[in-house]
């Protein structure tokens, strides 16, 4: 399932600009906890730390295997301020390299060519050539150099591993194996062949909000009745359950009610069959997963949607949203995914609007960290992952959501219990 290909250079651990004291109010049971300090949504030094320690300090998903499908196919990703090349070699293996030439350090593949196919890498500056496995061919006019062996001057490799078609890189070269990092997530999703799905569409959004505000937003459906009336009629905000398991991820599902079949503009699948591995109960659910730090996986009965949440600066985020379908379904005459894409494009834009409102309001001197409602336990779960990593004190706060049981619509007998109950996640 996963393989670890190569190592790369490690750097000294950055010092957290957010203390354990600052986040102590987050590290409480949900019923007592406060939201994250507003500074972490606005302070550039906080984002610089997050980039270095989190995005550059362990596994981060950068794309899909299908983005480099054949020998010489490559794509670029930007992680922790580094340009990364992911390329498929002549031996069919995917590899990661820093996007720089070992001579005078020029960027090897230019940002204007973010994906494509090559037979080799040739530096645009003095034309040093590297093969698809990163080996340097003996450059011109270096024969007389002393103590210079081209074999030692190949591209700098980056650890790379794959899971369910997702490609992860680890710039630190110190993370545990990807399978260990993901914990209980792989067995939870192993019945689905997500790696066999193919992308039908990608939409990239430029959102005026901190990246964590966007993940928080994904983690709850408290806002759904007001913000997403179209979604809320298909998957009501208070129907669903958390998924249990260890690892740096959070999961839940929401229930598809009535005659609706999926999340689309009219709630219908338009004849798209379920994707492989779906059990009966899955056909009336939409699963939502956050994989630390910035991959959001939304699994519908008939399609997969992903969001990659990439910070640009403290108040700006690039969100890449992609829709995937079974290739056999895509090959059918008349295949048209616009009902699913249009639904989520609308929902995404509704979300970005309120995230931008949050970004604006939390900048005010009048804002103090708010409180989690009883149905935002999974926002708290994400914030605890954030707070523990700021504190960096070796403590992993147990997610003390006020309830982990199936969330159901309150009835006369259940109302009292639900007043103390936790939340379900969603959009
Ligand atoms: S910088 Fe690449 S060949 Fe000189
Ligand atoms: Fe939403």
């Amino acid at each position: 399932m996963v393989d670890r290909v190569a190592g790369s250079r490690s750097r000294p651990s950055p010092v957290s600009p957010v203390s354990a004291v600052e986040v102590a109010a987050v590290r409480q049971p949900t019923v007592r906890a406060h939201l994250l300090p507003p500074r972490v949504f606005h302070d550039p030094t906080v984002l610089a730390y997050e980039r270095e320690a989190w995005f550059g300090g362990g596994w981060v998903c950068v794309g899909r295997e299908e983005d480099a499908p054949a020998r010489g196919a490559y794509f670029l990703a930007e992680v922790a301020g580094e340009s990364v090349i992911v390329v498929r070699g002549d031996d069919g293996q995917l590899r990661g390299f820093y996007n720089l030439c070992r001579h005078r350090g020029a960027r090897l593949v230019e940002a204007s060519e973010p994906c494509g196919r090559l037979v080799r890498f040739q530096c645009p500056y003095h034309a040093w050539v590297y093969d698809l496995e990163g080996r340097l061919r003996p450059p011109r006019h270096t024969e007389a150099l002393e103590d210079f062996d081209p074999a030692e001057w190949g591209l700098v490799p980056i650890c790379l591993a794959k899971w369910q078609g997702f490609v992860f890189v680890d710039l630190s070269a110190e993370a545990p194996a990807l399978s260990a990092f993901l914990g209980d997530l792989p067995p939870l999703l192993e019945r689905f062949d997500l790696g066999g799905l193919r992308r039908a569409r990608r939409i990239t959004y430029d959102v005026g909000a901190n990246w964590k505000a966007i993940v928080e937003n994904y983690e709850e459906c408290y806002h759904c009745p007001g913000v997403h009336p179209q979604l809320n009629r298909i998957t009501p905000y208070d129907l669903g359950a958390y998924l249990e398991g260890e690892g740096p991820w959070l999961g839940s599902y929401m229930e598809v009610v009535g005659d609706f079949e999926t999340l689309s503009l009219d709630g219908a699948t338009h004849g798209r069959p379920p994707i492989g591995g779906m059990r009966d109960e899955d056909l009336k659910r939409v699963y939502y997963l956050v994989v630390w730090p910035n991959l959001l996986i939304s699994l519908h009965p008939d399609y997969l949607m992903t969001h990659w949440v990439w910070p640009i600066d403290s108040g700006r985020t690039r969100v890449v949203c992609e829709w995937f379908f079974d290739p056999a379904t895509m090959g059918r005459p008349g295949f048209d995914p616009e009902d699913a894409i249009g639904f989520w494009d609308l929902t995404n834009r509704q979300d970005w609007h309120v995230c931008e409102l949050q970004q604006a309001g939390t900048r005010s001197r009048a804002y103090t960290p708010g409180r989690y409602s009883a149905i935002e336990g999974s926002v708290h779960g994400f914030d605890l992952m954030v707070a523990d990593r700021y504190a960096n004190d070796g403590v992993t706060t147990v997610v003390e959501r006020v309830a982990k049981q199936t969330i159901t619509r309150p009835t006369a007998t259940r109302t009292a219990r639900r007043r103390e109950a936790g939340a379900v996640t969603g959009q």
Side-chain angles (χ1 to χ4, degrees):
M1 176 195 65
V2 293
D3 53 4
R4 199 174 168 85
V5 172
S8 62
R9 298 175 299 180
S10 59
R11 290 153 64 117
S13 297
V15 177
S16 173
V18 183
S19 70
V21 172
E22 258 186 293
V23 291
V26 182
R27 300 168 100 189
Q28 300 284 332
T30 309
V31 290
R32 286 206 298 274
H34 286 73
L35 283 132
L36 289 165
R39 184 168 79 83
V40 307
F41 295 94
H42 301 281
D43 185 340
T45 63
V46 173
L47 180 63
Y49 171 78
E50 294 168 351
R51 274 212 173 110
E52 187 64 28
W54 303 351
F55 287 81
W59 291 112
V60 176
C61 184
V62 293
R64 296 276 295 172
E65 283 192 74
E66 69 170 296
D67 293 325
R71 291 176 181 181
Y74 75 92
F75 63 92
L76 300 182
E78 187 149 331
V79 182
E82 299 281 359
S83 178
V84 172
I85 304 171
V86 175
V87 63
R88 196 172 295 275
D90 282 323
D91 58 0
Q93 290 291 314
L94 271 188
R95 293 180 176 80
F97 298 106
Y98 285 90
N99 183 12
L100 59 97
C101 175
R102 297 292 306 278
H103 174 222
R104 295 246 295 276
R107 182 63 48 90
L108 195 58
V109 180
E110 301 193 43
S112 56
E113 300 285 342
C115 59
R117 196 164 178 190
L118 300 161
V119 292
R120 62 186 173 278
F121 296 103
Q122 180 167 328
C123 179
Y125 201 167
H126 311 95
W128 281 25
V129 169
Y130 305 83
D131 68 19
L132 297 174
E133 283 77 47
R135 291 178 291 246
L136 175 65
R137 299 215 183 129
R140 296 171 297 131
H141 304 295
T142 60
E143 299 81 0
L145 293 184
E146 295 179 9
D147 192 25
F148 178 76
D149 178 359
E152 296 173 0
W153 292 87
L155 299 179
V156 181
I158 294 171
C159 290
L160 180 147
K162 301 162 291 181
W163 165 69
Q164 288 273 21
F166 294 102
V167 178
F168 291 74
V169 298
D170 166 28
L171 299 190
S172 75
E174 292 172 349
L178 180 62
S179 55
F181 167 76
L182 292 172
D184 293 335
L185 189 55
L188 193 73
L189 296 186
E190 72 184 347
R191 68 180 182 278
F192 305 111
D193 178 20
L194 304 186
L197 304 180
R198 289 293 172 266
R199 182 174 50 242
R201 183 71 66 81
R202 170 189 290 157
I203 299 180
T204 300
Y205 303 90
D206 190 337
V207 187
N210 183 274
W211 71 277
K212 299 184 297 296
I214 290 167
V215 180
E216 286 182 336
N217 169 270
Y218 181 81
E219 275 296 338
E220 50 92 1
C221 214
Y222 190 29
H223 66 276
C224 292
V227 176
H228 305 306
Q230 300 85 353
L231 179 145
N232 199 57
R233 75 192 175 113
I234 300 172
T235 57
Y237 77 104
D238 57 350
L239 290 181
Y242 295 123
L243 304 178
E244 296 296 321
E246 300 292 319
W249 57 272
L250 293 162
S252 69
Y253 67 81
M254 296 188 67
E255 293 182 18
V256 178
V257 298
D259 293 332
F260 294 121
E261 298 173 318
T262 192
L263 287 176
S264 66
L265 289 171
D266 60 1
T269 59
H270 296 268
R272 290 185 294 267
I275 62 175
M278 288 279 165
R279 297 175 183 149
D280 284 350
E281 70 263 26
D282 299 326
L283 301 181
K284 295 296 278 183
R285 292 178 179 175
V286 179
Y287 290 95
Y288 295 99
L289 297 136
V290 173
V291 182
W292 177 265
N294 69 331
L295 172 63
L296 315 180
I297 298 173
S298 307
L299 184 58
H300 305 67
D302 55 328
Y303 67 97
L304 168 71
M305 179 181 68
T306 55
H307 294 84
W308 277 269
V309 183
W310 295 107
I312 299 171
D313 62 34
S314 315
R316 219 175 124 210
T317 301
R318 184 166 56 94
V319 183
V320 181
C321 186
E322 302 188 353
W323 289 260
F324 301 86
F325 296 82
D326 187 310
T329 303
M330 295 172 76
R332 289 179 168 191
F335 169 73
D336 181 1
E338 285 308 313
D339 57 293
I341 293 163
F343 174 88
W344 275 111
D345 186 40
L346 170 70
T347 306
N348 284 336
R349 292 174 194 277
Q350 291 166 335
D351 278 325
W352 311 153
H353 177 64
V354 290
C355 288
E356 289 176 348
L357 294 178
Q358 177 188 349
Q359 188 70 18
T362 56
R363 199 180 293 119
S364 168
R365 72 192 73 190
Y367 178 73
T368 56
R371 299 291 302 270
Y372 300 96
S373 77
I375 58 168
E376 292 174 289
S378 47
V379 180
H380 189 212
F382 176 72
D383 288 352
L384 285 171
M385 289 204 272
V386 168
D388 285 347
R389 285 161 176 78
Y390 287 142
N392 202 18
D393 54 7
V395 175
T396 300
T397 307
V398 175
V399 179
E400 291 189 75
R401 296 190 194 113
V402 279
K404 291 182 177 178
Q405 75 273 26
T406 299
I407 309 301
T408 53
R409 197 180 286 283
T411 63
T413 55
R414 283 180 173 148
T415 302
R417 184 153 56 88
R418 269 194 53 83
R419 281 203 192 100
E420 298 181 274
V424 65
T425 71
Q427 272 294 307

